[in-house]
Structure formats: C-alpha cells, structure tokens
Amino acid sequence: MAKDPAVLLAPGVWRIPLVGDFVNGFMFRDADDQVTLMDMGLKPSGKKVIAALRWIGSDVTDVTRLLLTHAHSDHAGGAAYVAEQTGLGIGVHVDDAAFVRSGTVPAMGSRLGRLMSRLPGNGFAAVPVAEELSDGQVLPVAGGLRVVHTPGHSPGHASYLHEESGVLITGDAIFNVRRLRWPVRAFCSDFAMTTRTAHVLGELDYTTAAFTHGPELREHPREDIRAFLARHPA
Ligand SMILES: [Zn+2]
C-alpha cells in the first residue's frame, strides 16, 4: 500500500517521510495559509518535499520560510532545489549558517567521520541563508516556533518546539530508529556535547516528539525522552 506523502502530527503540522521513516522533513501551515518547510533530506528528496506541499493543498507560492535543523547532507541536500522552487533562502542557527552558504559539512569529531566527510559527494549544493537564528528565538511560524539550540551533532544544530500544538522536533539530537538512541557518534562534531545538550529536551513541554530520523512518539513522549536521558546522563 502506498504511503501518504505527509503524516499529520497536529493541526497545521506535518512530517514528510523522505526515505521511509528514516529521514524526515516537516511542514507548518499558518491560519493564513503561509507554509514553512523544515529539512529537505538528501538531494533527490527536494522533489518529495514539493510533492508533499502540493498534497496538503498548498503550492510553492504559499511557502514563506525554509528552515534547517543543521547543515548535514541528509537534511540540507534537497534544500537547493526547494530554495530554487520557492525563491527563498534558508533559516538556520547562526553557527551552521556558513556551512549552508558554502555547501560544506562541519568537521566531525571522529577519524571515521572525518574520512567520510572527505568522500566525494559528501557535501551538498550551497544555499543562500536568509535568517541566522539564535537559541530561544520564537519565529512567527504557525503561532510561534521556538529555536532550541542543541549543539554537538553540529555546532549550530537546533531542535524546534511548536508550543501551540505541543510538537517538539528533536532534529538529530535524539534518533527514534527502532528505539530512542543517540545519533551515530562518528557523524557528530562533538559527541559528548551532543549528549550533554540533548538534556534540554527533557525540560521542555510537548505532547508529540517528532524526529528527523524515525517515526514520532504520540504517547507520553516527554516521559520516554526523560527516561532515555536518565539512562544516558550527561
Ligand atoms: Zn541526520
């Protein structure tokens, strides 16, 4: 059975499965029909993002903001296509902005990661940055979208909290692939920092936790994330 191009998380908030549930993007639609797109997956996923947008009954002309959780190829790879289709630049935390502008991936903390990051094709097409974001900033997206800086996976990695719907987007701070887990250590700029800064996600209030890698948790997600963090103290 064919899967839908988008999964409704809350009124006006969708997950876009870009590689099954393994790589996700997100959409937010305001009451006045403006749409914000977040994370565009790998390079071929840009088209899937636009298809998902059309599937919810919106069009490229409705999109007013593009956001990234961080400057890795499995999130920013499709961004150039989506930026071109919408005529918009990217909003990203200030500490990842230079990487988005140059289409390069931040240095990784392990030898394997450094090796991988030098492989041909590891970067992504450079995209203009329209907004440099900072921790605690609340963007005027669908009633308010809070930037939660969770560095470590990359210097400017950000999670996002949509307070109105109670949807948290962890980004790559925590994965939900088969179970809650840390992102792959080799691909983190600073793995120890990743595990330290993720603890802020246990302190926020939300009723759905959505992940850039893995399906969402709709039942007691905060308790599950707090339990995960308690098992993995900083
Ligand atoms: Zn990722």
Side-chain angles (χ1 to χ4, degrees):
M1 198 173 76
K3 272 193 149 185
D4 288 340
V7 177
L8 188 67
L9 299 179
V13 186
W14 292 263
R15 171 169 65 90
I16 311 173
L18 294 171
V19 181
D21 293 337
F22 290 107
V23 181
N24 300 309
F26 299 91
M27 292 184 283
F28 299 85
R29 187 160 58 192
D30 290 48
D32 66 358
D33 291 335
Q34 291 184 61
V35 175
T36 293
L37 300 173
M38 179 188 295
D39 279 16
M40 293 95 197
L42 293 154
K43 190 178 177 192
S45 302
K47 288 196 163 97
K48 284 193 175 180
V49 171
I50 300 299
L53 174 71
R54 298 218 164 98
W55 186 77
I56 65 164
S58 294
D59 208 342
V60 288
T61 51
D62 297 313
V63 180
T64 52
R65 191 178 246 107
L66 306 179
L67 296 173
L68 287 178
T69 57
H70 63 296
H72 279 177
S73 309
D74 56 330
H75 301 257
Y81 177 79
V82 175
E84 182 192 291
Q85 291 291 307
T86 57
L88 299 169
I90 299 286
V92 64
H93 187 276
V94 58
D95 295 342
D96 268 18
F99 302 111
V100 172
R101 277 196 195 95
S102 58
T104 54
V105 172
M108 292 177 178
S110 69
R111 261 171 56 189
L112 174 63
R114 281 195 294 277
L115 188 73
M116 297 288 289
S117 65
R118 283 200 299 267
L119 291 178
N122 184 267
F124 52 89
V127 201
V129 171
E131 283 183 294
E132 296 190 351
L133 310 177
S134 52
D135 183 49
Q137 188 175 351
V138 179
L139 302 170
V141 169
L145 185 64
R146 182 182 299 271
V147 180
V148 182
H149 189 206
T150 42
H153 186 62
S154 74
H157 183 278
S159 308
Y160 292 89
L161 178 63
H162 188 233
E163 281 161 344
E164 195 169 281
S165 66
V167 174
L168 171 72
I169 293 168
T170 65
D172 279 15
I174 301 177
F175 283 23
N176 186 34
V177 176
R178 290 185 293 280
R179 58 180 167 79
L180 293 177
R181 58 176 71 225
W182 294 123
V184 180
R185 181 189 288 255
F187 301 129
C188 292
S189 294
D190 183 335
F191 182 71
M193 189 192 286
T194 300
T195 64
R196 202 165 59 239
T197 62
H199 281 258
V200 71
L201 303 180
E203 306 307 318
L204 303 172
D205 267 323
Y206 47 90
T207 51
T208 298
F211 303 84
T212 32
H213 298 289
E216 53 279 355
L217 296 176
R218 295 178 190 264
E219 276 162 43
H220 46 76
R222 189 168 183 266
E223 290 73 8
D224 289 356
I225 284 179
R226 288 175 73 102
F228 169 78
L229 293 168
R231 289 194 302 273
H232 301 85

